[in-house]
Amino acid sequence: MNTWVTFRQNNYLFFDRVPNDSKIVNSGNKASYTIDGIPIFFSADGVISFGPAATNALNTQKELAEIDSITKTIANIPEFRVVGAPPTEKESKLPGYKGYPDYFDVNYVAAAENKEALPPLMSKGWISLSMLSEIEGVSKLGNSNANIITIGKYVGFEMVRVDINLTAEYKKATDGDFTLSDIRIKKYKGTMYLNIEDLITAGLIEFN
């Protein structure tokens, strides 16, 4: 047996039969289903995608839905935030790192407002140098070598520092995943996000 589905393309309405054992997903005026494991996606403007293209379209749709949800979540965020001011009790309960919500990262708010891909999240184990400074007191130290970023903080009476050697590939890229000096790094629109777990391993910050 088959189920009839409809889709629009170039202002024409089409009908197609889909086996009843196919997986059908509807989202507003978009629809998708799989036949023999092959995903098919119908967009709102009538574009039909198959295979990997359909999977990418579905992932994009899910990401946009997530961003819409996040935009609504941050709708009540104060227009201005004083950098260095600790989060409120309410804010500290939201996803983030050590009580600091993800949206304290300026790139997060900008991405949500523009409905763009979000930056690496603190709640997912990634932190920018600016948030690392604000939360952990880790500072960017001077270094005469332009290919090395040195960050550090005092732990007791000892200065713990980490040298991050920048490769030519990293310096050239705007976005991407890298491992520099044994620290996993994500670059998002030119901003460096460091892996929190690797910073703990390096002795720069403590697990909490």
Side-chain angles (χ1 to χ4, degrees):
M1 297 290 294
N2 297 299
T3 298
W4 285 94
V5 296
T6 62
F7 61 94
R8 184 179 299 276
Q9 184 178 23
N10 298 329
N11 295 323
Y12 291 94
L13 191 64
F14 292 85
F15 297 85
D16 196 7
R17 288 180 296 181
V18 181
N20 281 342
D21 59 355
S22 297
K23 181 179 179 182
I24 303 176
V25 179
N26 291 293
S27 176
N29 53 356
K30 309 179 187 70
S32 65
Y33 60 86
T34 58
I35 297 180
D36 294 331
I38 301 175
I40 301 174
F41 179 82
F42 300 98
S43 70
D45 55 4
V47 176
I48 308 172
S49 303
F50 299 89
T55 300
N56 290 337
L58 278 169
N59 290 338
T60 299
Q61 179 184 329
K62 291 177 182 176
E63 186 172 274
L64 289 174
E66 180 181 353
I67 291 174
D68 281 338
S69 175
I70 291 168
T71 302
K72 293 176 182 178
T73 300
I74 68 172
N76 295 322
I77 296 176
E79 185 175 355
F80 299 101
R81 182 180 84 85
V82 178
V83 175
T88 64
E89 182 179 353
K90 181 179 179 181
E91 290 170 335
S92 66
K93 295 178 181 179
L94 298 173
Y97 172 69
K98 292 189 176 181
Y100 287 74
D102 287 324
Y103 65 73
F104 271 33
D105 179 0
V106 293
N107 284 333
Y108 181 107
V109 177
E113 289 178 346
N114 296 324
K115 296 188 176 182
E116 299 173 343
L118 294 175
L121 304 178
M122 292 188 290
S123 60
K124 300 295 184 182
W126 302 94
I127 189 167
S128 67
L129 289 173
S130 61
M131 293 308 301
L132 188 61
S133 175
E134 180 174 350
I135 300 172
E136 296 286 3
V138 174
S139 302
K140 186 176 177 180
L141 308 176
N143 196 306
S144 58
N145 190 331
N147 293 318
I148 298 177
I149 290 179
T150 301
I151 56 177
K153 65 178 289 188
Y154 276 101
V155 178
F157 295 102
E158 180 185 358
M159 169 62 77
V160 177
R161 65 178 66 209
V162 173
D163 290 331
I164 303 174
N165 291 277
L166 307 180
T167 62
E169 181 184 10
Y170 174 85
K171 294 173 69 174
K172 183 179 179 180
T174 301
D175 302 272
D177 296 327
F178 306 87
T179 298
L180 305 177
S181 303
D182 297 323
I183 295 178
R184 285 167 289 174
I185 288 172
K186 287 183 179 290
K187 197 172 188 182
Y188 171 85
K189 293 188 175 182
T191 299
M192 174 184 284
Y193 286 81
L194 301 94
N195 183 269
I196 294 173
E197 182 179 314
D198 291 347
L199 294 176
I200 294 173
T201 300
L204 194 61
I205 59 177
E206 296 180 356
F207 176 77
N208 186 3

